Amino acid sequence: MRLKKDTTIVLAVMMILSWSPGAELKSPGNAHAQDTVSVSLPGDIILGGLFPVHEKGEGAPCGPKVYNRGVQRLEAMLYAIDRVNNDSSILPGITIGVHILDTCSRDTYALNQSLQFVRASLNNLDTSVFECSDASSPQLRKNASSGPVFGVIGGSYSSVSLQVANLLRLFHIPQISPASTAKTLSDKSRFDLFARTVPPDTFQSVALVDILKNFNWSYVSTIHSEGSYGEYGIEAFHKEATERHVCIAVAEKVPSAADDKVFDSIIGKLQKKPNARGVVLFTRAEDARRILQAAKRANLSQPFHWIASDGWGKQQKLLEGLEDIAEGAITVELQSEIIEDFDRYMMQLTPSTNQRNPWFAEYWEDTFNCILAPTSDQPNSVDSNDTKDGTKAKTTCDDSFRLSEKVGYEQESKTQFVVDAVYAFAYALHNLHNDRCNTQSDQTSEQRKHQHSESVWYRKVSTDSKSQACSDMANYDGKDFYNNYLLNVSFIDLAGSEVKFDRQGDGLARYDILNYQRLENSSGYQYKVVGKWFNGLQLNSETVVWNKVAEQPTSACSLPCEVGMIKKQQGDTCCWICDSCESFEYVYDEFTCRDCGPGLWPYSDKLSCYALDIQYMRWNSLFALIPMVIAIFGITVTILVIVLFAKNHDTPLVRASGRELSYTLLFGILVCYCNTFALIAKPTIGSCVLQRFGIGVGFSIIYSALLTKTNRISRIFHSASKSAQRLKYISPQSQVVITASLIAIQVLITMIWMVVEPPGTRFYYPDRTEVILKCKIQDMSFLFSQLYNMILITICTVYAIKTRKIPENFNESKFIGFTMYTTCIIWLAFVPIYFGTGNSYEVQTTTLCISISLSASVALVCLYSPKVYILVFHPDKNVRKLTMNSTVYRRSAAAGAQGAPTSSGYSRTQAGTTVPTGGASSSVLPTQNSPNVDEVPGQKAVVNKSSEYSNGEFLAEECECVEPICNQEKN
């Protein structure tokens, strides 16, 4: 049977408590008196109350001084009970009684006091086992001492609630605290019948860390009180701070029996960490005051900046005489509204009219610093000699005294939560009554808004002799009541705030953020609301004032790193040195630099990177303008030469120059000049293809034609002395075919190059600050592609050297030789210059363009300037009769008769023909004064109609000669 089991548990608990430390703290006098004093009001349903009416004593559970916050909370419960009992919409016909005890702010004493609730609950017997003589059901008397305690409101301190909750749960007595905020009380496995109208300290800890983060404080010290409130609160704070990278410099605990030396030692330890200017207090109010006193004794050169929990809250008395030390403090207080009706209730109370509160007389004397006339109704009134210092005697209290703001009365911040706790029980009981007693109620269990009608403050005992509380309601199990009714209430309280519980029995988390400030134009101080916290911080930092500093102070182990710097951790996670990232790196996170990568550069804030401007040769740059001017001039001159040759196409000089190869050479020169524009243009696939073909093919056209010319000259002069037979492949058509074949080899090489290394563009990064768009041509690949042209140049140069000793007037070979010597010098200089300027794409491109144009210019000037000079300035020399030198032929005839070569290189053959020897040219361009060969008497050799070599070029198109020579040439 459950009743017997509970009774056994109670007896065991009582035996244990008889040996508890609380019993040892009792003194024969005051402690015993406090045990017997309580507030007892009868009713159908009894609610217990636990409030800290007296402060903690030294050597005894209770001290002589009343705790005005505790008295206000007690009166708030009585005030709320009066309102409920006189509200016809709540528990009609049912009266709520109270049994209120003093906890003296001590957990062990509160546990002993709670045994009175347990004893009362033992009287709540199962009436089904009893019978009355008249067969009626037995009824319990309506008084507090014999009535069962259905629920308890209290305690205030978390340490008290922890002890009491462990006891009350054994007897299924639900409990609602209006002030206990320890996190552990949310543990339903241990405190399954505990609820509170305030939130747990978990939310307060989050709010404190939010405040620190708002000020960018990362290094603070903490002080907490011994006991569940301070220890559980600071534990939650440390956990939240660690997760959000706020470091703890010093963490100190205030022992419950600490003296001034302990507090001075704590301040000394705080001073050893000068960078931690912020100090978080999670202490009881009395401990917070003594910390401030120790700080004042230390005469700090740099003040600490206090961030305090609701243990400090917005209490004015706590800071009396310490205002200068506490100035600028930021405190957290549960958001509550002033209940004006409660102020009216308190202001009309006097010791004579408030007989139900046995401690009100002490509160009155402490508030007005007076002495009430001793009466039997005021057993605890203070004697006139009971002053602490004995220097000032107290006067007798005047009957005209009333509570008001002038005497320091201010509504306590937890008043709203005490009233909410009473109404939570009332609404839960109302819903239980509706379900169990089958009564009809016009009110639902949904949210209700109170009509602020005229208040009825004093208890009006119902005239009905029979209570409306049925036996099912009175005997309902407290645990089921807690889970099914109490946790499910939801209403709007007297202050207009929503009241409800979550499944852990916790109230809504709403906080005010207060700043202790000096009043303007006054020496007084006040708490000013500077922000709120409800699921997040809303703080107006501009309205916050600080202690002895104008600007927001810093509380950090190390200052934040500058732009572009990262932290190098040293010891504590909040202590570091700053290290700079490289110029091409950005700050990935506060500990890591990362490379932006090729083509990217960090912004000035070093938080991200942007793409660098892509560089390539611009048409308007000086590096492009110079080679373009040279190329345009060269193209213009080349076109003029082509036009001049075209106009003199059939003249002897042009015909003697080898028209086909001349035009081929001019075309190659034109291509070389045009390469400048392909090299300067923005790199694309098209321009890159043109570069590859243009450079290689342009040079191959020039040097293939020159190689064909020099080879032809060399073969003619070296074979003439050995045979009179005409050489093969010296006709214009043969020369064109040979030249085209040589050019085709370069075209084939270029096409193979494109297959091996497909054309395209690429980004070149000479350093981290530049991105250059270039054709996808490796420098070495470009060099290899010109090897063929180098071979052509080398062979041409060799032939030019071999034909250097031809007769004086055969100057075409000399011009070719000069062209090749100059070209070799240009190329030998170009290669090292090109590779040496690879770090500057503009210089390299300009060098390449000028080198190509210079090579083309050398060929143009050396090979065509003599011809242009004759065509433009001496057209009279451009005649057929000046194609042979008669003096030379006369010398040849004389030397031929002797069968030996002449000084001009001619010898007479057996058939009587004149042929050039191997070391000389075949004919000489005559001077203007040379006589015609026809004028020489006895000359058997007849002048060719179109000599085989005129001005250095052999002509095979027409011929007028002595019959044997022509016949030989025709053969």
Side-chain angles (χ1 to χ4, degrees), residues 211-232:
I211 294 172
L212 299 181
K213 297 298 288 186
N214 183 81
F215 298 140
N216 291 323
W217 289 1
S218 60
Y219 197 56
V220 297
S221 298
T222 63
I223 305 174
H224 68 279
S225 296
E226 184 180 25
S228 57
Y229 171 75
E231 291 175 357
Y232 289 119

Side-chain angles (χ1 to χ4, degrees), residues 27 46 140 185 220 260 334 375 544 706 785 800 827 891 901 957:
S27 62
I46 304 298
L140 295 174
L185 289 167
V220 297
D260 287 347
L334 283 168
T375 64
V544 176
L706 285 177
S785 71
W827 277 64
R891 291 178 187 172
E957 294 152 337

Side-chain angles (χ1 to χ4, degrees), residues 38-337:
S38 64
V39 178
S40 298
L41 299 177
D44 302 315
I45 300 293
I46 304 298
L47 294 181
L50 292 171
F51 298 101
V53 179
H54 288 85
E55 293 184 348
K56 189 187 302 183
E58 296 182 3
C62 300
K65 188 176 181 180
V66 295
Y67 193 26
N68 67 349
R69 291 207 300 175
V71 174
Q72 278 202 45
R73 293 176 189 178
L74 185 153
E75 290 295 341
M77 180 175 177
L78 295 176
Y79 162 79
I81 292 292
D82 288 346
R83 288 189 64 96
V84 170
N85 286 336
N86 290 279
D87 190 341
S88 60
S89 64
I90 305 175
L91 294 172
I94 299 175
T95 303
I96 297 179
V98 297
H99 187 189
I100 302 175
L101 303 173
D102 181 10
T103 65
C104 293
S105 307
R106 190 183 293 273
D107 52 356
T108 54
Y109 182 73
L111 184 61
N112 284 330
Q113 288 285 72
S114 299
L115 287 175
Q116 297 186 43
F117 300 147
V118 174
R119 295 189 192 102
S121 296
L122 292 177
N123 294 329
N124 187 20
L125 303 178
D126 186 0
T127 57
S128 62
V129 300
F130 299 99
E131 291 183 358
C132 294
S133 58
D134 58 356
S136 63
S137 299
Q139 299 290 329
L140 295 174
R141 288 180 299 167
K142 296 182 180 180
N143 61 70
S145 61
S146 61
V149 176
F150 200 89
V152 173
I153 295 176
S156 292
Y157 292 112
S158 294
S159 57
V160 170
S161 293
L162 284 167
Q163 295 283 6
V164 173
N166 278 321
L167 175 64
L168 297 181
R169 68 183 292 271
L170 298 175
F171 301 93
H172 291 200
I173 300 176
Q175 175 187 0
I176 300 180
S177 170
S180 298
T181 57
K183 174 186 176 183
T184 189
L185 289 167
S186 298
D187 186 357
K188 293 297 101 178
S189 64
R190 296 176 56 194
F191 309 101
D192 50 346
L193 294 180
F194 179 84
R196 48 189 165 189
T197 51
V198 291
D201 286 331
T202 305
F203 297 101
Q204 186 175 186
S205 299
V206 174
L208 290 172
V209 176
D210 282 346
I211 294 172
L212 299 181
K213 297 298 288 186
N214 183 81
F215 298 140
N216 291 323
W217 289 1
S218 60
Y219 197 56
V220 297
S221 298
T222 63
I223 305 174
H224 68 279
S225 296
E226 184 180 25
S228 57
Y229 171 75
E231 291 175 357
Y232 289 119
I234 207 66
E235 178 186 355
F237 173 82
H238 283 178
K239 181 180 178 182
E240 183 70 18
T242 301
E243 291 177 353
R244 298 174 64 181
H245 308 293
V246 176
C247 298
I248 309 302
V250 177
E252 289 296 314
K253 180 173 73 172
V254 179
S256 57
D259 56 13
D260 287 347
K261 291 183 179 179
V262 174
F263 289 98
D264 291 339
S265 174
I266 291 173
I267 296 298
K269 291 179 180 178
L270 296 183
Q271 287 181 287
K272 292 180 180 179
K273 297 288 185 178
N275 290 338
R277 305 312 307 165
V279 180
V280 177
L281 301 182
F282 225 112
T283 60
R284 300 155 64 107
E286 52 267 32
D287 289 340
R289 178 174 176 81
R290 298 187 70 181
I291 290 169
L292 295 177
Q293 289 173 339
K296 188 171 186 177
R297 289 194 297 271
N299 193 21
L300 302 173
S301 58
Q302 286 187 325
F304 290 114
H305 304 286
W306 313 102
I307 308 293
S309 65
D310 61 348
W312 175 336
K314 57 180 179 181
Q315 300 182 61
Q316 287 284 3
K317 274 196 164 184
L318 183 149
L319 304 179
E320 288 180 356
L322 302 170
E323 291 85 355
D324 57 332
I325 301 297
E327 183 182 2
I330 294 176
T331 64
V332 175
E333 182 62 274
L334 283 168
Q335 183 179 332
S336 59
E337 303 294 335

Side-chain angles (χ1 to χ4, degrees), residues 823-867:
T823 300
C824 288
I825 294 173
I826 293 173
W827 277 64
L828 288 174
F830 160 73
V831 172
I833 292 174
Y834 179 79
F835 286 98
T837 58
N839 58 339
S840 174
Y841 75 99
E842 291 176 314
V843 174
Q844 189 179 55
T845 303
T846 302
T847 301
L848 180 59
C849 292
I850 293 177
S851 297
I852 295 172
S853 295
L854 192 57
S855 297
S857 299
V858 167
L860 180 65
V861 172
C862 293
L863 296 178
Y864 291 95
S865 57
K867 300 177 178 62

Side-chain angles (χ1 to χ4, degrees), residues 507-521:
L508 298 176
R510 291 186 292 251
Y511 298 98
D512 286 330
I513 311 300
L514 309 171
N515 184 220
Y516 192 63
Q517 303 180 357
R518 182 190 294 271
L519 293 171
E520 294 183 3
N521 303 321

Side-chain angles (χ1 to χ4, degrees), residues 238-456:
H238 283 178
K239 181 180 178 182
E240 183 70 18
T242 301
E243 291 177 353
R244 298 174 64 181
H245 308 293
V246 176
C247 298
I248 309 302
V250 177
E252 289 296 314
K253 180 173 73 172
V254 179
S256 57
D259 56 13
D260 287 347
K261 291 183 179 179
V262 174
F263 289 98
D264 291 339
S265 174
I266 291 173
I267 296 298
K269 291 179 180 178
L270 296 183
Q271 287 181 287
K272 292 180 180 179
K273 297 288 185 178
N275 290 338
R277 305 312 307 165
V279 180
V280 177
L281 301 182
F282 225 112
T283 60
R284 300 155 64 107
E286 52 267 32
D287 289 340
R289 178 174 176 81
R290 298 187 70 181
I291 290 169
L292 295 177
Q293 289 173 339
K296 188 171 186 177
R297 289 194 297 271
N299 193 21
L300 302 173
S301 58
Q302 286 187 325
F304 290 114
H305 304 286
W306 313 102
I307 308 293
S309 65
D310 61 348
W312 175 336
K314 57 180 179 181
Q315 300 182 61
Q316 287 284 3
K317 274 196 164 184
L318 183 149
L319 304 179
E320 288 180 356
L322 302 170
E323 291 85 355
D324 57 332
I325 301 297
E327 183 182 2
I330 294 176
T331 64
V332 175
E333 182 62 274
L334 283 168
Q335 183 179 332
S336 59
E337 303 294 335
I338 298 298
I339 302 177
E340 296 180 358
D341 192 50
F342 177 75
D343 286 340
R344 290 193 291 270
Y345 165 81
M346 289 292 292
M347 290 176 184
Q348 56 82 43
L349 290 179
T350 64
S352 60
T353 59
N354 189 13
Q355 297 295 319
R356 59 185 180 180
N357 183 354
W359 301 290
F360 191 76
E362 295 179 59
Y363 171 74
W364 192 267
E365 290 176 337
D366 182 73
T367 301
F368 293 99
N369 195 28
C370 65
I371 299 175
L372 290 168
T375 64
S376 57
D377 296 332
Q378 298 168 347
N380 293 325
S381 60
V382 181
D383 188 77
S384 61
N385 294 325
D386 290 343
T387 57
K388 287 187 177 180
D389 53 12
T391 58
K392 183 179 180 181
K394 295 182 179 180
T395 60
T396 303
C397 298
D398 195 308
D399 292 340
S400 63
F401 288 165
R402 292 292 183 274
L403 294 174
S404 66
E405 294 181 358
K406 293 181 180 180
V407 297
Y409 167 78
E410 183 181 5
Q411 187 174 138
E412 201 272 326
S413 61
K414 299 296 192 301
T415 297
Q416 177 184 352
F417 303 110
V418 175
V419 174
D420 290 345
V422 172
Y423 269 93
F425 266 118
Y427 280 123
L429 288 168
H430 182 84
N431 295 335
L432 175 64
H433 177 262
N434 289 341
D435 292 344
R436 293 290 171 174
C437 299
N438 298 321
T439 59
Q440 299 296 326
S441 175
D442 295 332
Q443 300 295 327
T444 66
S445 60
E446 302 295 328
Q447 294 183 357
R448 298 173 175 85
K449 293 185 179 179
H450 291 277
Q451 301 297 327
H452 290 270
S453 58
E454 183 179 355
S455 299
V456 179

